[in-house]
Amino acid sequence: QGQLVESGGGLVQAGGSLRLSCAASRRTFGNYAMGWFRQAPGKEREFVAAISWSGGRTNIADSVTGRFSISRDNAKSTVYLQMNRLKREDPAVYYCTGGHRSWPPRDDWGQGTQVTVSS
């Protein structure tokens, strides 16, 4: 089972940007599709973005299309979620995921990182 560790969460003003990072164990990263989910208080966990192991395929949720993007650096075993023009509906705990048995990937989960948006 791969270990995923998120970082980069925090407090940002509405309209601002944040970049989340997720570092994975090198042994599994190269074979894994990677993704991001989020969960706000009182809401179900929802898909945000995913990227294939090669980086050639990406999916972005409709709710964040045009504002969020996902990328990966296989040399660093790290996946990124760039979040621009953050809105009041974006605050949540953001979870990094990895795997190769489903799309978007759900085999492994990080511990989550909190994103808060102030108005």
Side-chain angles (χ1 to χ4, degrees), residues 61-96:
D62 290 343
S63 59
V64 301
T65 294
R67 301 188 296 120
F68 291 13
S69 62
I70 187 170
S71 62
R72 65 189 293 160
D73 184 337
N74 287 352
K76 297 181 179 179
S77 299
T78 301
V79 63
Y80 304 98
L81 182 69
Q82 179 65 45
M83 305 185 294
N84 299 326
R85 301 196 305 279
L86 282 157
K87 300 180 178 180
R88 283 182 288 180
E89 56 262 39
D90 293 322
V93 177
Y94 283 71
Y95 297 92
C96 175

Side-chain angles (χ1 to χ4, degrees), residues 38-41 87-94 114-118:
R38 68 184 182 183
Q39 187 168 23
K87 300 180 178 180
R88 283 182 288 180
E89 56 262 39
D90 293 322
V93 177
Y94 283 71
Q114 178 71 51
V115 171
T116 304
V117 179
S118 64

Side-chain angles (χ1 to χ4, degrees), residues 13-26:
Q13 282 191 326
S17 299
L18 275 178
R19 188 177 78 160
L20 305 183
S21 301
C22 174
S25 61
R26 187 174 298 274

Side-chain angles (χ1 to χ4, degrees), residues 10-60:
L11 173 65
V12 64
Q13 282 191 326
S17 299
L18 275 178
R19 188 177 78 160
L20 305 183
S21 301
C22 174
S25 61
R26 187 174 298 274
R27 186 165 66 92
T28 58
F29 188 78
N31 295 323
Y32 266 20
M34 301 296 294
W36 291 93
F37 286 72
R38 68 184 182 183
Q39 187 168 23
K43 296 187 177 180
E44 293 190 355
R45 194 169 293 184
E46 65 172 348
F47 167 73
V48 177
I51 187 168
S52 64
W53 69 269
S54 69
R57 176 188 180 187
T58 61
N59 276 126
I60 307 293

